[in-house]
Amino acid sequence: ASAGVLMITTKTGKGLQGKTEVTLNSSANFQNVAYLPKFQSLYGQGANNIYNNQSTNSWGPGFGSLDQVVQGGTGALVPYQPYPNNIRDFYNTGAFYQNSVNLAGGDEKSNFVAGVSSTIQNGVVPNSKYNRHTANVGGNRTLNNGISIGGTLTYSKTSQRGATMGNGGSAFGQITRIPVSYDLNGTPLLNEAGERQYFLPGQNSPLWSVENEFFESDVDRVFGNLNIGYDFTDWLNVSYRVTGDTYFDQRNQVLRNGSARAPLGAIDADNRFRSELNGDLMITAKHEDLFVDGLNATLLLGQNINSRDFRESGIVSSGLSMFGFDNVANASVFTGSYSNRFRRRLIGHYAQLSLGYNDYLFLELTGRADKSSTLPTSNNTYFYPSASLSFVPTTAWEGLRSDVLSYWKVRANAARVGRDADPYLLNTLYSISTFGNNTASIQFPLNVGGSSIPGFAIGSRIGNPDLKPEFITSFEVGTQLGLFNNRIDLDFTYFSTRSSSQIFDVAVSNASGFDTRTSNIGEMTNRGIEVLLGGYPIRNSNFSWNVNLNFTRIRNNVVSIFGDQPVGGDELTSSVIPGINSFIGIAPSIAEGFPYGVIVGAQTPRNENGDLLINPTTGLFMPGIGNRVIANPQKDYTLGISNTFT
């Protein structure tokens, strides 16, 4: 698929020749925040050299001009001095522990595997955690009649907790607003009466927030597969595989009494269920020395049936009676409930032909046709092929090998990948109606005079009954060299991808009564190179040291886009990326001639020399020009290095 495939592999006991093997693994990792902004330590709380103990600014009196000040929130007389490690000391040293034990055994006809594992992580953010415990079992057996059967089953239990996010009333909304002269980590969170104290009225210390405003999730997941196969001849095999993956996720967002966003407390309890079922029929034919000596061929014909189900329901409650009892039963007001569900199905037929000649020339051809339930009947079937070719000159002509050149391979491939739409994009939908904003709102159904009045409103998105699948066309060439008896490896790749007919919710004029319209839009390209250089500075029978350097440079460009909103000039169009809350008017967007995700906002005008223009009357910058591309998230390059010692 164009969005990638997640593959989960497990060990088997095949090849142990009747023996039983026990494997133990244990690891520990520790983490610290890598980068933090630099803060000045010349001026304290306030502005314009005036101390203000309720200000979030740090442009008050210079340090050394005052000995003591009255601290905001506590009223205590405290030294007027900088606390340069306020932000750094807020974070912890994270710990990541992994342990597992696996049991495996088998012989040529049967094998089994069983194991348990655990992952325990304490995050760098206070009170954040992630724990996962897993148990798995599996096995394979070849029966006397030639039928082979096998399967695996895995259960995992995951629990996590993290701080709430967002502007203003959250730990991360406040951590950037701490004045440099405020002792964040040394100031008590509560006074002697047990009341919260913080310098900014209506807000809370980030240390209080990470303890009392949080998101938590508990996930129970089961996944596995069952397969059966039979060799009709020594060159023909037919098999069928069923894979399933299902999980139940219980989520809670808890804002305890005193939270900035919900002073009386609030809990959003959300339950999600997701399942995916795949059935694959595969017919595999193999033949050696096909037509000529040394030409080996493998042909795979298959059918895939995929079904995905999702259900979600939740309750939003407020007015908590008891502090710390994090249950919706503790609420006195229920402000809303919701329920969603969808089902999507896809049937695919595919073929793959693999040819290899004398272990130095390889050709692979694939083709797949999918039929999707999320696209209109006229466009719900689409085909996408691929081809790859590779050649190993050092195997074809052994005379090329030397003490310098150990291995040489060249490769090229071209592919087209199709992707269907998310469910329910063909129509303009109705949903439960809500009126208001993030401060106050009402939601149907309303309880009036003891009667419940339902209400639905047409959505803000215009559906598209003519929606088509989106496609990604890619091309890649590369070469791989092994030098000095494979002591040094060099791999170079050039790639180019073109995305077309992308399914996107494009912004439309609000005068239409809608915000977006689902469309198949324009074209986007990615071009780049990747270079991997590896080697062994030390390699002997007792010790080896392997070093790998990786360099990647990618150039992304939005070639064309549907829309007529000018950005940076009449020749440029753009649209805000859906799902982005442009709270302060700066939004990641797509814009023609720029990479995906550029920041669009107000740009301060400059003169012909590139100097910023200043209003001579006020001394401030001239007003910004709106709807301009002001920032580019595209990296110049990515460089990495890894060392492995064995």
Side-chain angles (χ1 to χ4, degrees):
S2 62
V5 175
L6 176 64
M7 296 187 65
I8 300 173
T9 59
T10 58
K11 292 183 177 180
T12 69
K14 187 176 181 180
L16 293 178
Q17 299 178 351
K19 299 179 181 179
T20 300
E21 178 184 76
V22 178
T23 305
L24 299 174
N25 289 288
S26 184
S27 67
N29 295 276
F30 300 95
Q31 303 167 326
N32 284 299
V33 175
Y35 303 101
L36 289 171
K38 295 182 180 180
F39 298 93
Q40 60 85 22
S41 57
L42 299 177
Y43 303 92
Q45 190 174 14
N48 300 319
N49 294 316
I50 300 174
Y51 178 73
N52 180 352
N53 64 9
Q54 294 185 358
S55 174
T56 59
N57 296 317
S58 291
W59 303 111
F63 291 114
S65 62
L66 299 174
D67 293 329
Q68 293 180 318
V69 293
V70 176
Q71 186 183 51
T74 65
L77 198 63
V78 297
Y80 187 62
Q81 65 183 49
Y83 296 90
N85 295 324
N86 255 341
I87 309 303
R88 182 174 297 278
D89 292 344
F90 168 79
Y91 294 99
N92 297 328
T93 296
F96 189 77
Y97 306 100
Q98 290 182 298
N99 297 279
S100 67
V101 56
N102 289 281
L103 181 67
D107 52 32
E108 293 182 354
K109 288 192 173 183
S110 63
N111 59 76
F112 73 92
V113 63
V116 293
S117 64
S118 70
T119 298
I120 298 176
Q121 181 178 14
N122 297 315
V124 295
V125 177
N127 294 300
S128 64
K129 67 175 184 177
Y130 176 86
N131 298 326
R132 183 180 68 236
H133 305 283
T134 303
N136 67 279
V137 62
N140 296 278
R141 173 72 177 175
T142 300
L143 305 179
N144 293 332
N145 58 8
I147 296 176
S148 60
I149 59 174
T152 63
L153 183 65
T154 301
Y155 168 76
S156 68
K157 174 73 172 180
T158 303
S159 62
Q160 60 180 317
R161 170 174 166 155
T164 58
M165 307 289 287
N167 182 62
S170 70
F172 293 103
Q174 287 298 307
I175 195 64
T176 59
R177 305 180 182 186
I178 306 298
V180 70
S181 59
Y182 184 80
D183 187 6
L184 172 65
N185 299 284
T187 301
L189 301 179
L190 305 176
N191 60 22
E192 294 181 355
E195 300 170 331
R196 292 170 292 109
Q197 53 185 12
Y198 185 56
F199 77 90
L200 188 60
Q203 299 291 339
N204 292 302
S205 167
L207 294 171
W208 188 91
S209 294
V210 294
E211 184 176 347
N212 297 288
E213 302 167 354
F214 56 89
F215 170 86
E216 60 184 2
S217 170
D218 288 290
V219 179
D220 292 278
R221 182 183 181 188
V222 178
F223 59 91
N225 66 79
L226 177 65
N227 59 81
I228 182 171
Y230 183 72
D231 291 324
F232 285 89
T233 68
D234 58 355
W235 58 270
L236 180 63
N237 173 270
V238 178
S239 64
Y240 197 84
R241 180 181 62 205
V242 178
T243 60
D245 187 357
T246 182
Y247 70 77
F248 182 64
D249 186 0
Q250 294 178 290
R251 301 182 178 188
N252 286 314
Q253 178 179 275
V254 178
L255 304 175
R256 289 175 176 165
N257 306 61
S259 300
R261 295 175 179 171
L264 299 180
I267 296 178
D268 183 350
D270 180 272
N271 294 325
R272 302 186 179 194
F273 171 83
R274 184 184 186 279
S275 69
E276 181 169 357
L277 183 66
N278 279 281
D280 282 278
L281 172 65
M282 293 171 286
I283 303 173
T284 305
K286 298 181 179 181
H287 199 291
E288 296 182 354
D289 299 324
L290 180 67
F291 304 129
V292 296
D293 291 341
L295 179 60
N296 301 326
T298 301
L299 176 64
L300 170 66
L301 301 176
Q303 181 200 53
N304 170 257
I305 300 176
N306 175 273
S307 178
R308 282 167 280 180
D309 288 88
F310 176 81
R311 295 195 297 271
E312 177 188 22
S313 61
I315 298 176
V316 181
S317 62
S318 61
L320 305 183
S321 301
M322 293 176 284
F323 184 89
F325 180 33
D326 306 325
N327 192 296
V328 293
N330 187 32
S332 58
V333 179
F334 294 91
T335 57
S337 62
Y338 52 89
S339 177
N340 301 296
R341 65 185 303 168
F342 74 71
R343 170 175 291 174
R344 61 191 299 181
R345 287 176 173 168
L346 183 143
I347 298 178
H349 297 84
Y350 54 91
Q352 175 181 302
L353 175 63
S354 302
L355 300 173
Y357 182 69
N358 286 334
D359 293 328
Y360 66 77
L361 186 61
F362 304 91
L363 174 66
E364 184 172 281
L365 304 173
T366 71
R368 175 163 177 146
D370 284 342
K371 187 175 184 178
S372 171
S373 66
T374 63
L375 293 170
T377 304
S378 58
N379 298 323
N380 67 354
T381 302
Y382 50 98
F383 174 77
Y384 46 99
S386 73
S388 63
L389 178 67
S390 60
F391 176 56
V392 186
T394 48
T395 302
W397 303 298
E398 294 187 0
L400 290 177
R401 296 183 186 179
S402 65
D403 292 338
V404 176
L405 181 61
S406 309
Y407 179 80
W408 181 22
K409 179 181 180 180
V410 292
R411 62 185 184 273
N413 67 70
R416 190 180 194 225
V417 180
R419 183 176 183 270
D420 60 354
D422 288 333
Y424 314 125
L425 296 183
L426 307 184
N427 300 311
T428 303
L429 306 177
Y430 284 80
S431 61
I432 295 177
S433 183
T434 301
F435 299 94
N437 53 35
N438 61 347
T439 302
S441 63
I442 59 173
Q443 178 175 326
F444 284 92
L446 293 178
N447 192 346
V448 179
S451 300
S452 181
I453 303 176
F456 296 87
I458 194 168
S460 61
R461 179 192 61 85
I462 303 174
N464 187 346
D466 299 316
L467 205 61
K468 300 177 181 179
E470 59 183 39
F471 290 97
I472 297 178
T473 303
S474 63
F475 173 75
E476 178 182 304
V477 293
T479 185
Q480 182 181 355
L481 294 170
L483 306 173
F484 305 106
N485 294 318
N486 290 318
R487 199 176 184 94
I488 296 177
D489 295 317
L490 176 63
D491 194 311
F492 174 84
T493 302
Y494 168 81
F495 58 89
S496 175
T497 65
R498 173 181 174 271
S499 302
S500 59
S501 299
Q502 296 178 94
I503 299 171
F504 201 86
D505 290 339
V506 180
V508 297
S509 171
N510 291 334
S512 66
F514 298 89
D515 295 333
T516 60
R517 180 173 67 183
T518 302
S519 305
N520 291 105
I521 63 171
E523 177 183 350
M524 183 171 66
T525 61
N526 278 287
R527 295 184 176 91
I529 60 171
E530 184 173 11
V531 182
L532 177 63
L533 177 63
Y536 289 87
I538 300 175
R539 184 173 65 180
N540 54 50
S541 58
N542 298 318
F543 177 77
S544 68
W545 171 23
N546 176 248
V547 181
N548 281 296
L549 295 170
N550 182 273
F551 172 85
T552 304
R553 177 176 170 86
I554 301 175
R555 299 294 89 185
N556 174 270
N557 183 48
V558 177
V559 178
S560 63
I561 178 176
F562 174 87
D564 55 1
Q565 296 178 345
V567 176
D570 293 338
E571 76 285 352
L572 193 64
T573 58
S574 80
S575 177
V576 173
I577 296 175
I580 301 297
N581 182 6
S582 180
F583 189 71
I584 57 175
I586 298 177
S589 305
I590 53 174
E592 287 185 6
F594 290 89
Y596 180 91
V598 292
I599 305 300
V600 174
Q603 185 181 60
T604 304
R606 298 173 181 265
N607 60 20
E608 295 80 1
N609 298 324
D611 302 320
L612 294 172
L613 298 182
I614 298 177
N615 188 318
T617 303
T618 64
L620 302 176
F621 291 123
M622 296 291 287
I625 303 173
N627 290 332
R628 296 290 179 124
V629 175
I630 59 176
N632 182 351
Q634 183 166 252
K635 301 177 182 177
D636 288 337
Y637 61 87
T638 301
L639 186 65
I641 182 172
S642 65
N643 291 273
T644 304
F645 303 95
T646 56

